[in-house]
Amino acid sequence: MWRVARFASANLRRTRRFSTAIPGPCIVHKRGADILHDPWFNKEVGFPLSERDRLGLRGLLPPRVISFEQQYVRFMESFRSLEKNTKGQPDSVVSLAKWRILNRLHDRNETLYYRVLIDNIKDFAPIIYTPTVGLVCQNYSGLFRRPRGMYFSAKDKGEMMSMIYNWPSHQVDMIVLTDGSRILGLGDLGVQGIGIPIGKLDMYVAAAGTVVGRAGAMLDGCMGARLEELAWARVGWVRGRCAGWARTNPKLKLKSQFYVCGISNKVFLLILPVMLDVGTNNQKLLEDRLYLGLREPRLEGEEYMSIVDEFMEAVYTRWPKAIVQFEDFQMKWAFETLQRYRKRFCMFNDDIQGTAGVALAGLLGTVRAQGRPLTDFVNQKIVVVGAGSAGLGVLKTAIQAVSRFAGPAADPHFFLLDKNGLITKERNNIDPGAAPFAKSLGEVEELGLKEGASLLEVVRKVKPHVLLGLSGVGGIFNEEVLKAMRESDSSKPAIFAMSNPTMNAECTAADAFKHAGENIVFASGSPFENVDLGNGKVGHVNQANNMYLFPGIGLGTLLSGAHFISDGMLQAAAECLASNMTEEEIQQGILYPSIGSIRDITAEVGAAVIQAAVAEELAEGHCDVGVRELGHMTKEETIQYVKRNMWYPIYSPLVHEK
Ligand SMILES: NC(=O)c1ccc[n+]([C@@H]2O[C@H](COP(=O)([O-])OP(=O)(O)OC[C@H]3O[C@@H](n4cnc5c(N)ncnc54)[C@H](O)[C@@H]3O)[C@@H](O)[C@H]2O)c1
Ligand SMILES: O=C(O)C[C@H](O)C(=O)O
Ligand SMILES: [Mg+2]
């Protein structure tokens, strides 16, 4: 199956789609064995003989040169044979074996690693991202071989400003940061939570074509490529394309020279995963002598905030234009940090804001799936199970959408439950975050419900159009609850089991179709196979995961040059995702694009974010492309601009410089 021809044609298609062009040379300051030990430069047996001579590699490698394509095929064959050989073994053993083989490739040859990842994202996302990344985090201290990203701990207080300069790359554009306190639905995993920013980073590379800001050498590589491509522009290759493009855009004609630079001077975005280790309250980890993090209880209150403050100051001192994505912080700190930093720094919280946009896109899709106009969203009865950072973010965004459709006086039919059941205004010590969404007692009594009513009671009495889980509790949508959804007032009830990883999903896809009926729309946070409903019918499984938005939010924000991320930019991202599906797809219960097209959707989301930033006068442009140029671009041109800034891995000729 993995034939060179297939690789070559896929490569050609992608090259066209993402305009990789011939790569410029990378300048490398090392020689010989040092290059072979640097995964960014290492091509293993792929070094051509001329390069082996140039870089002092002759004799350090077996004599035969194997092309990139052959290396790719060879890796895929080993991967497929591993799949075959591990058949029948427990899922966790198979998943970790797959993760290991990919991780080993990542450790030795990043170009090939990212290439196989991008080209096979549908197969590999479940390994480098949810669900396997959860297993990796749980076992991280044992699996650890090489560090990735940066680690700051409570012991580094007062030192962070200088420590940040230990990172060898001069430029960092995106940081994915966690404190490990709420890793997926797995709870507090302390330092082991670093697996999440690393997994998100891999999704950034796959979806947004960012590159890993891991070494000064890496940066040189990019700059080498930029200079080389500029040279190409001067000899007319890019200029030819660009002039043609400018001709179709009369307003921009005079700027064609500028756009030559804009096109040729690709600005690959550098990202960095970071762990902020402030201790852990996970007793098992505290007692584990091999645990790699601080074996101390988590810092709380002012002490905690002062660590995060110091880290943020350090980041923005060194990289004033960086964007920080907060990931998997426990709820109180997720909201607190978002409120504290959102206007001061360019940052967002993926679990609150990214999830909300993805869920909203899915919720609007379910309205369309019922054959109703979007304005009917205001009449949808939605039961949200889980009043944490994700659930509250979803409700806030859904209510904003209702007021856009029907005005601020509209009264949405949304119900919120947490571990103590239905949340009403009667709740003692109600969480301030949940309070705005609590129903009045009168309202719920009319339905025969009361404060703290169970999920089953709520589903039976409310007959919701949508049941949406963000509770982190696996199997909570049990047979009875799912059967109760058969009485839903919707012609196509929707079940969103969004908790991760798979074992924490509120129900499986198979159970949802079995118990709630074949006409449901189903989405889950972690992937499930489509369900065979017999008679040639298929129950479609959607993956409702923030991966469809965060790469585009990050990339779009960066290219826009906005200094903070506004609600309008996030809304534009969600609406872009929502509008991506055709009527035909929606009728088949397909609410989200296939993960195989994640680059295309990321480009569109990124463009929507840029255009919103321009419209709100927040954009300042990035590198050579200023706000005026952004403002002149049509939607399609903005999408193409985003695509041109996506990296597609291909070996660059290496040039040694002392
Ligand atoms: N699919 C996605 O894109 C996506 C995005 C973000 C979070 N998530 C998942 O959502 C889950 C929750 O994340 P979070 O950040 O909101 O966590 P959180 O800890 O902030 O909130 C969890 C909420 O669930 C409630 N809960 C616990 N047990 C319950 C029960 N038995 N019945 C009803 N509610 C119960 C808790 O009271 C709390 O309100 C996690 O599993 C996470 O992986 C998925
Ligand atoms: O990491 C994911 O897969 C989605 C989300 O950010 C989560 O916390 O579950
Ligand atoms: Mg998350």
Side-chain angles (χ1 to χ4, degrees), residues 129-131 133 182-185 196 200 325 327-328 350-351 355 390 470 498-501 525-526 543-547 550:
Y129 193 63
T130 186
V133 70
R182 191 288 275 148
I183 293 301
L184 308 177
I196 292 294
K200 295 273 171 185
Q325 170 172 331
E327 195 65 56
D328 290 9
D350 183 37
D351 300 293
T355 312
L470 280 162
M498 289 181 69
S499 290
N500 297 314
S526 297
Q543 194 175 353
N545 190 293
N546 50 29
M547 68 183 178
F550 70 77

Side-chain angles (χ1 to χ4, degrees), residues 260-271:
V260 167
C261 301
I263 283 176
S264 57
N265 190 1
K266 279 196 202 112
V267 194
F268 297 131
L269 310 177
L270 295 153
I271 52 179

Side-chain angles (χ1 to χ4, degrees), residues 82-403:
L82 178 134
E83 267 184 330
K84 222 168 101 198
N85 297 338
T86 50
K87 244 197 179 107
Q89 294 190 28
D91 282 355
S92 59
V93 172
V94 178
S95 305
L96 279 183
K98 289 181 178 176
W99 178 82
R100 276 198 194 90
I101 186 175
L102 276 167
N103 195 50
R104 279 197 301 266
L105 178 63
H106 194 176
D107 281 346
R108 57 173 204 274
N109 183 339
E110 294 206 11
T111 315
L112 186 58
Y113 170 72
Y114 283 116
R115 180 58 169 269
V116 297
L117 180 63
I118 292 168
D119 285 4
N120 301 281
I121 188 66
K122 191 166 183 297
D123 287 348
F124 290 165
I127 306 169
I128 53 101
Y129 193 63
T130 186
T132 307
V133 70
L135 196 60
V136 170
C137 288
Q138 287 174 308
N139 295 287
Y140 175 81
S141 293
L143 291 170
F144 178 87
R145 295 292 177 274
R146 294 169 68 122
R148 281 194 215 292
M150 286 196 86
Y151 302 76
F152 292 81
S153 90
K155 296 275 178 272
D156 297 320
K157 194 161 167 35
E159 300 296 328
M160 294 187 194
M161 198 62 91
S162 48
M163 278 169 71
I164 199 95
Y165 287 88
N166 288 345
W167 186 248
S169 173
H170 299 302
Q171 184 197 339
V172 164
D173 301 299
M174 280 287 323
I175 288 175
V176 183
L177 173 73
T178 191
D179 70 352
S181 55
R182 191 288 275 148
I183 293 301
L184 308 177
L186 305 170
D188 180 351
L189 293 183
V191 81
Q192 308 198 147
I194 182 71
I196 292 294
I198 293 170
K200 295 273 171 185
L201 175 150
D202 276 347
M203 287 307 288
Y204 261 106
V205 181
T210 51
V211 287
V212 187
R214 49 158 286 281
M218 165 69 227
L219 186 67
D220 289 342
C222 281
M223 287 170 71
R226 287 156 67 163
L227 289 174
E228 167 67 4
E229 290 191 20
L230 216 52
W232 274 82
R234 288 203 191 101
V235 298
W237 184 81
V238 175
R239 180 179 290 169
R241 263 195 339 171
C242 186
W245 180 71
R247 264 199 302 281
T248 60
N249 296 274
K251 271 195 241 153
L252 297 176
K253 204 163 189 167
L254 292 175
K255 296 198 163 57
S256 68
Q257 182 58 41
F258 178 81
Y259 271 92
V260 167
C261 301
I263 283 176
S264 57
N265 190 1
K266 279 196 202 112
V267 194
F268 297 131
L269 310 177
L270 295 153
I271 52 179
L272 167 65
V274 176
M275 158 51 62
L276 210 50
D277 182 357
V278 293
T280 178
N281 294 339
N282 181 325
Q283 203 51 37
K284 210 170 135 213
L285 294 180
L286 288 171
E287 286 165 13
D288 179 354
R289 64 193 170 80
L290 294 181
Y291 173 61
L292 293 176
L294 288 186
R295 290 170 75 188
E296 292 172 6
R298 276 189 179 275
L299 292 186
E300 288 296 341
E302 278 304 304
E303 271 187 307
Y304 174 89
M305 267 330 299
S306 69
I307 293 284
V308 193
D309 280 348
E310 186 180 330
F311 171 76
M312 293 297 275
E313 292 296 342
V315 165
Y316 285 96
T317 302
R318 183 162 186 207
W319 300 300
K321 292 187 173 168
I323 300 168
V324 180
Q325 170 172 331
F326 279 62
E327 195 65 56
D328 290 9
F329 282 69
Q330 59 181 307
M331 175 164 104
K332 64 178 176 187
W333 296 126
F335 282 109
E336 171 81 31
T337 48
L338 184 60
Q339 197 189 356
R340 191 175 179 99
Y341 300 131
R342 123 157 252 217
K343 294 278 157 69
R344 246 167 85 198
F345 302 116
C346 197
M347 58 81 66
F348 69 105
N349 183 296
D350 183 37
D351 300 293
I352 301 174
Q353 297 167 298
T355 312
V358 167
L360 179 64
L363 292 174
L364 295 176
T366 65
V367 179
R368 289 171 68 198
Q370 295 161 45
R372 310 194 74 87
L374 285 184
T375 46
D376 200 59
F377 185 57
V378 59
N379 300 317
Q380 296 282 300
K381 291 185 283 183
I382 302 176
V383 170
V384 175
V385 186
S389 43
L392 296 181
V394 169
L395 269 181
K396 180 171 172 246
T397 300
I399 286 172
Q400 284 168 350
V402 164
S403 72

Side-chain angles (χ1 to χ4, degrees), residues 182-187 331 351 355 383-394 416-421 423 455 467-478 481 495-507 524-525 544:
R182 191 288 275 148
I183 293 301
L184 308 177
L186 305 170
M331 175 164 104
D351 300 293
T355 312
V383 170
V384 175
V385 186
S389 43
L392 296 181
V394 169
L416 179 61
L417 286 86
D418 68 0
K419 58 179 184 300
N420 298 316
I423 301 181
L455 171 60
L467 177 60
L468 187 151
L470 280 162
S471 63
V473 185
I476 196 176
F477 297 172
N478 57 27
V481 170
I495 295 169
F496 284 65
M498 289 181 69
S499 290
N500 297 314
T502 314
M503 67 176 182
N504 296 67
E506 283 76 8
C507 64
S524 52

